[in-house]
Each structure stands twice: as structure tokens, then as C-alpha cells.
Amino acid sequence: MTPKMPNMPNNSSTNHDIHVVLTAPSSGSVARSFAEISRHRSATGLKVPTESSSSSTAFLDASLSSSPPSSSSDIVFLLTVMATTLTMFVLTLSKLWKHLHRDPFPQDTSQIHNQTRSKQSSSKKTPFKPLPPCHVSPHPLLGHMPQVSSPPDSALYQSIFLDHADPSSGLSTFWFLSTPCLAVLKAEHARSILRHSVERKTFDIFTRHFKRSLGKDSLVIMEGGGGTWRHHRNLVKAAFTEKAVRNMSGSVWEVASRFARSILDECDADEEGSIGCYAAEALDIFKWATIDVFGQVALGHDFECTSSLSQTPVAASFDATVEDSSARTTARNLFNPMTQWYWLPTERNREYAFHSGTVRRALEEICERKVEDVRSKESGGEKEGKEDMLAILLKSDVVATSNDDQSQSQSKQTPNACRHGEMIEMLMTLFFAGYDTSSIGLSMAMYEVSEHPRIQSLCAEEARRAADHLVLDPTQWEDRLAYNWAVVMETLRLHPPVFTNCRNLVKDVELDEYTVPSGTRVYIPVVQIHTDERNFGKRAKEFLPERWVRWEEERKCWVKRDYAREEQESQQTRERGKQGFTQDPKYIPAANPNYLFSFSDGARNCVGKRLALQESTMLLSCILRDLTVQTREGYVLQKRKKFAMAPPTEMPLRFKRREWD
């Protein structure tokens, strides 16, 4: 049977608004408009406002100095623009309407597959089976974009990725604008897709803002796996090797300890009541901790946010730049010219220019100092101590920059050498990739331990036992803080900061009995995969750190569980026909680490995974060792969508000094 898209509604009424984006007028018409406004205000006695920004002032001066044309020519020009825009809109609407009336995966693709498979040996032939049809009516222009763009725990989002999914295969098909898409629920399907391709087609209407903030060659927004992507990826990977991250453990532990001490000092300084407390918004305080970790491990610089428990000026500019780029991609601002055009002399654009300029100047100054430091150490033969990411990145460029002769520099430059501008882009990318994700993950971890007092106590007890050892050797954190690590892993499973991922297939892929054709855009709904019983057992929706660790009585400590070994033992028990302990309804099966997609998978996985786990585990253990944490009484967790992330709308936390017997 051929799956068909449901018939579109015949009536014109719809629950969704249709947004029309008009083509931007030429600079000449904008100049004429400003000139007319100036004359009108002068005639009526109104003052023309002046702008503080130099670029905005220059723009207005140039506009007002141009000679205005006659009113008739203005009318002709305006009518021409309106007629052209209306014509283009009607043609686009007609094309989209016809496009959305076809099935996203039509039956005639089977002919292509059969022709391809006829060239193969008969032993490799598999019958083509059409993908499940979509049962949710699409918007005439946006397709299923309103559902896909909703928060991951909303009914709209789940209607596509969960309710509409085929019960046996876990596959669902839908439209994103005019692009046919597929979503998967089985973890093995997601793993196959993520390891199949690094291609990720993006929409310029979303990514243009991040290109301005992070650079056009940022790893976060680059589409394919070409030479530029591989070049940047290899450079960044050099800063996140196992040895490099292990060497960063001392800096991370220092920030985590200082953060906990600062909160303790605030609790002791509180004069309200006999027991002092410190109240703060979760996302805010963990952004301060995250930016200090970034400053220490990436730049060798202290932003002093955890010392003061506040945002310093440079840290505030970092935050404002990231927040502005994310805010411009929301549905409310996506079709608003005042937020999409950076050349408009608006207050928002002036603030963005100020903050982004502050960040780049700060990074350039730090880079210049680091270049001189690395160069002097190389020439003096000094042995390196602790190395931050910037020093590692610069080492590939030292040979090229240490010689004043440009020709000699070019001849000595290594293949992995990066230019100064590339380093700024990579640092901005590293900060962007870890800033929101780490703060969201830590906020959700605090929420879960506040909801589960037993788990919070176990974390605190382990952190107290490990404290003296980690002061001497922070590299032992993974063995000494196994239960705290398990809490972080379980938090990332139930509350992944990046709740969706996608790939564009470059060749056909077999998923069970289905053949997904090349060119299909495949979505990975991470939250729904992590809470599916097929992937994490019957208790998949429960917060259970014990699925990652077990208590070892002999050593009196928590140790990581070996999924492969336990699965093999369970299989052998079933083969013998015995009913083992795995049949106990209270039994918690070991989690398969390959089924966790919070850091993606394949060649495009998160290179900073080791550092993120180290940072989150140390911060969690230092806080719970000395403090108890609670949310506000009656608090209900709600999430909002922020690009591909899902931070809580709010999360008020109260910290108190932990009393030990």
C-alpha cells in the first residue's frame, strides 16, 4: 500500500497564523524614507532623535544628506516593490501548496530502490517497504514546523515524535516546511543514523545569527563534513584528549571548591533566622560557575564570577551575546524585521554590537598575551606546567608566528596551524557549546536531588569521603565520585540540554524492514528515545542513578556497572531456562551507555564530553558535600524552548549549610 498524506483542509480557516515576509527595500528607498521623516518632523516642530552608536549616526547622516526625489517617483517605486513581492509570494504559496499535497515518501521511490537493488546479488536483496504515513495534518505553509518547534515535553511536540510514531518500528514521518522528514525512537536506529553521516542541512534564517556571533566556520553551524569542518574538528579535538582533560581537573576542582565556599559564606552572612540560607535562580548561578570553568581551562583567565557570585562585565557581555543570538531565532522574532536586520539603528542592535565587540576585544587581548607567553616559553625551552585549551591551539601556530619573515613563516607553518581569527571563532564556539548546556544540566541535577532526598544524601556522603583524596589528586574524580557521576548521567538522560538532533542522509539506510531513501532529513528526538522502554527498560521514566553504578560491599564504595558483562550474564541465565534476579520488578537493569545521545554520536559527537562530565560531577559533589539544596515549596518544573535546548522557565533554589552528625 502506498502511504498518502492526509487531505488538506478545504476551508481556509486554520489555528496557525500565516506570516508573510516582505523583501527588504533597497538602501536608496530607506534613505529616502529617513529624509521624508526628517522633513516631516522639522515641519511639525518635532526633534529628530540622535543615536549614540557611531555606525547608526553615520547611517542617518548619509540618509538625511541625500537629495529626496519627487513624490511621484516614490509612489511608482513603492507600487513596483509591492507588486513584485506579491507576485513572488503567490508563486511560492502555490509551489508549497502543491508540494505539501504529495506524500513525503511516495511509492515511486520503490522503483528507484528496486532498480538499484537489481544490480546487487540476490542474497543481498531486501524488499522495499514504504515508510509509515503521517496522520497529523500539516500547516499549508509551515508543514509540521509548529509541532517540531515546540518544547520537548509539550503535547504538540509529542504528537509528532511519540503519538504518531509507528508502534513496532518507532518511525514517524512529517514535513518541516517543504522538506520531508523522518524521526526515530529506537536507540539502535538513532545510533545508525548518527554514525551514518555528518551532513546536517541548516536553515539560514536560523543560523545567520549564530554565524555573526560565532563565525561562519563555527563547528556548531557548519553543515557538511568537508575539509574546513575536518580542519576545525581536528584542531578542537587536540584540546580535548583524555590527557588534556585530565590535566584540567585541578583547575575545575579549584573553581568548584571556590563556588561552594562562596555560597557557604553567603549562608553564614544571612541574618534572617537562626539558620542562614542563600537563595538564587539556578540557571544564573550555574552560568557563573560555567563561565569561570571556561575561563580557567580554555583561557587560563579568572572571570571571578564564583568569587563574587555575580556577573562581571566581560561575563555579562558573553551572556548577552549568546542570549541575543538565541532570542532572534524564536518564533516571535523570526519574521520581525526589527530583530532580523542588524543594520537598523535600534537599541537592540546597538547593545548587541557593544557586547559582541566587548567579547571579541577581550578574547583578542587574552590571545595576544597567550601568544607572547607561549612564544617565550618555546624560545626559552621552559617546560610547560598546566596547559589551557588556548595554549594547546596556539602550539600549532607558534612556528608560523615566531618568525618575522612572512615567507619563512608560511614555509614552516604546520598543516594544523590556525589563524588568529580562527582561534577567536573556535573559542567562541567552545564557549557557546558548553555555556548553556552545562548550566542547564547542572540546574536539572539540582532539581532532581531536591526531589529525591535519599539520592542527595548518598551524593553528599560520597563527596565527603572523597574530599581529602581529591584535594591531593583531582584526577581521581571518576573513581572517587562514581555516584555523583551517575546522578549527572541520569540527569542528562531524562533532561538532555539539547533535546533534538538531525542528520541528512547521503545514501539509503536500512532501518529494520524499512528503507530510508537518500536525501531524507532524519530527526533524533533525544528525550523521547531516552524515556522509551525499548531502550532503558520498564522503569525508563524514573530517575534512577543506580542504573549506572552499583554498591560494592567489599570496597565500601560505588563502582560503575558493566553493561556488556551484565547483559551477557542475563542472556546466559535466560538460555538455561532459569528465572534470575532480573525478573524482580524492583531490579534496575544496567543502562547501555551507547544509548545515551545527550552528547550525540558518531563523527559529529560532542568533543567536550569528558570535560562536561568532569565539570558537572565536581560542581555537584562540592555543593552537596557542604550544602543542602531545595526548590521553592510547590515548585512545578516547566521548560521552554531555546533554539535546540530546553532550559527551565525558572528554578528558584535555596541553599543551607549541611549539618553532619
Side-chain angles (χ1 to χ4, degrees):
M1 295 177 63
T2 304
K4 294 187 179 295
M5 295 287 292
N7 294 329
M8 300 301 298
N10 293 326
N11 57 355
S12 59
S13 62
T14 178
N15 293 328
H16 304 286
D17 296 332
I18 299 178
H19 301 276
V20 181
V21 183
L22 296 179
T23 306
S26 64
S27 59
S29 66
V30 175
R32 291 193 296 273
S33 299
F34 272 108
E36 294 292 340
I37 292 171
S38 177
R39 292 201 307 274
H40 173 71
R41 290 185 173 181
S42 298
T44 56
L46 296 176
K47 294 182 179 180
V48 180
T50 59
E51 305 288 349
S52 57
S53 171
S54 59
S55 59
S56 303
T57 305
F59 175 80
L60 287 174
D61 290 342
S63 302
L64 296 173
S65 62
S66 59
S67 57
S70 63
S71 59
S72 60
S73 62
D74 283 346
I75 295 174
V76 172
F77 177 82
L78 181 60
L79 290 176
T80 304
V81 171
M82 292 178 62
T84 304
T85 304
L86 181 61
T87 303
M88 293 178 63
F89 173 73
V90 171
L91 291 175
T92 304
L93 177 62
S94 175
K95 182 178 179 181
L96 285 174
W97 185 270
K98 293 179 181 178
H99 193 72
L100 288 174
H101 267 73
R102 67 179 181 88
D103 190 359
F105 300 98
Q107 180 67 36
D108 57 11
T109 33
S110 61
Q111 300 176 2
I112 302 175
H113 287 275
N114 291 334
Q115 292 173 5
T116 304
R117 297 173 193 279
S118 63
K119 301 177 182 179
Q120 303 173 352
S121 60
S122 58
S123 61
K124 294 184 178 180
K125 285 185 178 181
T126 56
F128 171 76
K129 186 175 181 179
L131 296 169
C134 181
H135 300 293
V136 182
S137 299
H139 189 279
L141 285 180
L142 305 178
H144 297 101
M145 181 180 172
Q147 290 90 340
V148 177
S149 301
S150 302
D153 53 355
S154 66
L156 276 177
Y157 188 87
Q158 295 186 16
S159 67
I160 291 292
F161 296 109
L162 197 60
D163 303 337
H164 160 59
D166 182 67
S168 59
S169 65
L171 301 179
S172 57
T173 56
F174 60 95
W175 293 96
F176 190 90
L177 298 178
S178 61
T179 304
C181 302
L182 175 77
V184 299
L185 278 181
K186 287 185 178 180
E188 57 265 27
H189 290 171
R191 187 173 168 86
S192 298
I193 294 297
L194 291 171
R195 296 196 166 211
H196 162 82
S197 173
V198 298
E199 293 288 334
R200 185 176 62 189
K201 298 296 182 183
T202 58
F203 296 93
D204 187 65
I205 194 172
F206 296 109
T207 59
R208 58 186 293 268
H209 303 291
F210 295 103
K211 288 180 180 178
R212 178 178 284 268
S213 300
L214 309 178
K216 61 182 180 62
D217 291 331
S218 172
L219 280 173
V220 176
I221 53 181
M222 270 196 282
E223 294 185 352
T228 303
W229 177 83
R230 285 194 296 270
H231 169 68
H232 283 249
R233 174 85 178 184
N234 290 335
L235 284 172
V236 173
K237 281 176 66 177
F240 287 101
T241 61
E242 185 175 355
K243 179 181 178 182
V245 174
R246 186 168 58 249
N247 291 337
M248 298 172 190
S249 59
S251 298
V252 178
W253 180 258
E254 180 185 344
V255 173
S257 301
R258 183 175 61 197
F259 185 44
R261 284 197 305 270
S262 297
I263 298 179
L264 271 175
D265 292 342
E266 289 293 324
C267 291
D268 295 340
D270 183 25
E271 298 178 356
E272 297 180 6
S274 58
I275 300 178
C277 69
Y278 174 69
E281 179 64 31
L283 275 178
D284 290 342
I285 61 173
F286 288 118
K287 282 182 178 180
W288 303 338
T290 300
I291 198 170
D292 269 10
V293 171
F294 171 77
Q296 290 284 4
V297 304
L299 307 173
H301 180 80
D302 187 5
F303 287 107
E304 301 180 348
C305 294
T306 51
S307 300
S308 60
L309 290 181
S310 62
Q311 265 189 344
T312 54
V314 176
S317 291
F318 266 114
D319 182 69
T321 302
V322 173
E323 290 294 327
D324 181 86
S325 297
S326 300
R328 292 178 192 254
T329 62
T330 60
R332 183 179 61 181
N333 293 325
L334 204 56
F335 301 107
N336 182 3
M338 303 299 288
T339 61
Q340 299 300 306
W341 294 339
Y342 288 85
W343 51 265
L344 289 175
T346 63
E347 183 68 23
R348 181 174 198 151
N349 288 340
R350 287 194 297 272
E351 289 182 359
Y352 170 80
F354 169 78
H355 289 302
S356 62
T358 300
V359 170
R360 290 199 169 266
R361 284 192 298 273
L363 289 178
E364 286 173 358
E365 291 175 4
I366 293 172
C367 283
E368 290 295 336
R369 291 197 300 267
K370 186 66 66 173
V371 166
E372 295 299 325
D373 182 53
V374 173
R375 185 183 299 171
S376 62
K377 288 183 179 180
E378 287 287 328
S379 60
E382 296 182 33
K383 189 176 180 180
E384 286 285 349
K386 289 193 303 183
E387 279 191 330
D388 51 59
M389 294 181 195
L390 182 55
I392 295 173
L393 291 173
L394 285 169
K395 278 194 169 182
S396 62
D397 200 37
V398 166
V399 176
T401 57
S402 60
N403 198 312
D404 293 334
D405 189 346
Q406 183 67 21
S407 62
Q408 292 183 9
S409 295
Q410 294 296 331
S411 64
K412 292 183 179 181
Q413 191 169 0
T414 61
N416 284 335
C418 55
R419 297 184 298 273
H420 189 74
E422 288 179 337
M423 281 185 285
I424 300 295
E425 289 184 2
M426 279 187 281
L427 290 172
M428 285 296 297
T429 298
L430 293 175
F431 172 75
F432 174 79
Y435 182 60
D436 275 324
T437 53
S438 295
S439 57
I440 292 172
L442 284 164
S443 299
M444 300 312 304
M446 288 296 151
Y447 166 76
E448 289 293 351
V449 296
S450 67
E451 293 291 307
H452 301 86
R454 180 189 68 86
I455 293 175
Q456 184 173 162
S457 297
L458 290 174
C459 287
E461 291 169 3
E462 182 186 61
R464 190 183 185 188
R465 291 193 302 267
D468 293 338
H469 299 279
L470 294 180
V471 168
L472 298 175
D473 185 8
T475 60
Q476 299 181 21
W477 71 270
E478 204 163 357
D479 294 327
R480 299 285 180 179
L481 299 174
Y483 195 82
N484 283 264
W485 169 85
V487 169
V488 171
M489 292 289 284
E490 189 68 353
T491 301
L492 293 174
R493 186 184 70 85
L494 288 181
H495 309 283
V498 179
F499 65 86
T500 188
N501 209 331
C502 64
R503 291 291 185 272
N504 286 77
L505 302 184
V506 295
K507 61 181 180 180
D508 298 350
V509 174
E510 299 285 345
L511 299 179
D512 293 344
E513 70 270 27
Y514 295 97
T515 301
V516 185
S518 173
T520 302
R521 185 181 179 89
V522 182
Y523 276 76
I524 314 294
V526 182
V527 178
Q528 282 65 36
I529 291 174
H530 287 175
T531 54
D532 194 289
E533 293 183 358
R534 287 170 288 196
N535 305 322
F536 286 94
K538 294 182 179 180
R539 304 177 68 181
K541 295 183 180 180
E542 298 181 44
F543 186 81
L544 301 170
E546 287 79 8
R547 72 175 80 242
W548 302 97
V549 291
R550 60 179 176 83
W551 176 258
E552 191 170 278
E553 190 63 34
E554 294 181 1
R555 297 171 54 188
K556 299 294 182 182
C557 67
W558 293 94
V559 295
K560 293 183 180 180
R561 298 178 68 171
D562 189 338
Y563 169 80
R565 183 179 61 80
E566 291 189 27
E567 186 67 17
Q568 184 179 8
E569 292 176 355
S570 177
Q571 180 66 27
Q572 291 174 353
T573 302
R574 288 193 296 268
E575 289 176 355
R576 297 191 190 103
K578 297 181 180 180
Q579 186 173 349
F581 62 91
T582 57
Q583 302 300 320
D584 186 348
K586 295 183 179 179
Y587 171 72
I588 304 173
N592 187 346
N594 294 326
Y595 286 0
L596 188 77
F597 300 107
S598 303
F599 298 99
S600 191
D601 199 0
R604 201 160 191 160
N605 68 341
C606 176
V607 294
K609 175 181 178 179
R610 292 190 188 95
L611 178 61
L613 291 175
Q614 176 178 275
E615 172 189 358
S616 299
T617 304
M618 287 186 173
L619 283 166
L620 179 69
S621 65
C622 285
I623 290 173
L624 297 183
R625 179 194 63 201
D626 301 326
L627 298 152
T628 61
V629 59
Q630 291 179 331
T631 55
R632 182 185 59 210
E633 186 177 354
Y635 172 77
V636 178
L637 176 64
Q638 291 183 335
K639 298 180 182 179
R640 61 185 175 90
K641 185 178 182 296
K642 181 182 178 182
F643 200 54
M645 293 174 287
T649 52
E650 64 164 355
M651 188 180 291
L653 297 179
R654 287 170 59 89
F655 297 93
K656 293 182 179 180
R657 177 182 285 274
R658 183 178 294 276
E659 300 296 335
W660 292 99
D661 297 333

